[in-house]
Amino acid sequence: MFVREVADLFRQYADEQDNTFLTAAQVSTYCRLGYEEYYRLVQKISPESLVTGVNITLNGVWFYDLADAANPVRLLGTSLTHKRMLRLYRLALVDPTTGIVQLLLEGVNTAEEWQASKSPVLIAGFMPVKYFWSGDRILFSATMQGTVQVSYIPYNCKTAEFAGGIDWTKTGAGDNEFIDNFQDFHELIALLAYQRYAIRDGADNQQLQRQLQALTAEFKSYLGSGRNLDVAHVQQTW
């Protein structure tokens, strides 16, 4: 489905004829909220399907500020150069020409762990390096030199700061705004959007609730083990 098709399906579920009670802008908002909930579900079960990446060049530094307007790559703050980072998936030192990973960096959870692991210099690119995400900065346990690939899960909707995400206002005839490759489950977005609308409308639809539960369970199964038929089994932990 395209965005407009999800919006049309939501309108059918809402069954509201009064366009002053349910405006086009509100339809876009409900669909975006439904998509964000759908997106969080994918993050929990199959985060690798959402990962994107960008390279940053480091020249003998301990940290990189992802919001500093002076830096060429900005994933946080108010002057984004790429989609906003929601979750950091992986950092790797890579060959700038081939993209081949030379060293995987190890994330730590506390500043104390990062401080304890600090070394004066990255020796030949082969010693273990740890990193800590603190505020807008990525802190490294060694002075970094070279190209670091930042693999991350982005916020995937168009925003005032960055126009590269899905535009949920593209609901008119002829609008073909792409969502993602999980097209068999885009009905779920409309159902989740209706669930948000029902809070305002005070109208609980049991049939739609049953469809939401059934399709959510099917989507979880697909994300956990159904995408790659060559995978015999993936342990499901939700």
Side-chain angles (χ1 to χ4, degrees):
M1 289 184 177
F2 295 121
V3 163
R4 63 174 168 80
E5 294 173 308
V6 170
D8 287 344
L9 186 58
F10 164 72
R11 288 190 186 97
Q12 293 176 49
Y13 289 156
D15 193 24
E16 176 54 63
Q17 303 303 316
D18 186 351
N19 290 334
T20 62
F21 184 78
L22 182 59
T23 66
Q26 290 168 344
V27 168
S28 295
T29 297
Y30 284 123
C31 288
R32 177 180 55 79
L33 292 172
Y35 171 76
E36 288 174 352
E37 189 168 349
Y38 159 97
Y39 194 74
R40 287 192 294 271
L41 178 61
V42 180
Q43 285 186 58
K44 291 178 182 178
I45 301 171
S46 183
E48 66 283 349
S49 65
L50 304 175
V51 168
T52 188
V54 62
N55 289 347
I56 58 176
T57 301
L58 303 177
N59 296 305
V61 296
W62 284 100
F63 69 88
Y64 188 89
D65 193 323
L66 291 166
D68 189 339
N71 284 335
V73 174
R74 300 183 297 278
L75 308 179
L76 300 172
T78 58
S79 60
L80 302 175
T81 58
H82 300 73
K83 292 179 181 178
R84 182 177 301 280
M85 182 167 69
L86 292 179
R87 293 184 177 181
L88 184 54
Y89 188 75
R90 188 184 75 173
L91 290 183
L93 194 65
V94 299
D95 184 291
T97 302
T98 65
I100 294 174
V101 173
Q102 298 173 327
L103 180 72
L104 284 175
L105 280 63
E106 179 185 347
V108 297
N109 293 318
T110 67
E112 289 75 17
E113 288 181 85
W114 165 75
Q115 187 69 37
S117 65
K118 285 181 68 176
S119 300
V121 67
L122 177 58
I123 302 172
F126 295 108
M127 65 174 289
V129 177
K130 297 184 178 182
Y131 68 89
F132 177 54
W133 181 6
S134 175
D136 294 332
R137 291 180 171 186
I138 303 296
L139 310 177
F140 304 104
S141 65
T143 302
M144 295 295 294
Q145 185 80 31
T147 301
V148 171
Q149 183 181 77
V150 182
S151 299
Y152 71 101
I153 296 175
Y155 180 71
N156 205 34
C157 295
K158 180 180 177 180
T159 65
E161 297 92 357
F162 188 74
I166 300 170
D167 186 349
W168 285 96
T169 68
K170 298 290 187 180
T171 60
D175 284 333
N176 294 325
E177 184 76 357
F178 180 75
I179 299 174
D180 61 27
N181 291 313
F182 300 135
Q183 60 271 9
D184 288 351
F185 298 97
H186 287 167
E187 180 191 0
L188 187 57
I189 302 171
L191 289 165
L192 291 166
Y194 175 79
Q195 189 175 55
R196 295 299 186 97
Y197 169 74
I199 296 172
R200 169 197 174 190
D201 192 45
D204 191 18
N205 187 314
Q206 293 300 317
Q207 289 179 313
L208 290 182
Q209 284 297 321
R210 285 194 292 271
Q211 175 65 1
L212 174 60
Q213 292 170 5
L215 193 58
T216 299
E218 186 180 351
F219 192 36
K220 286 180 175 180
S221 177
Y222 171 79
L223 291 172
S225 59
R227 297 184 67 207
N228 185 353
L229 297 179
D230 193 38
V231 177
H233 179 72
V234 174
Q235 181 66 40
Q236 298 176 356
T237 57
W238 56 80

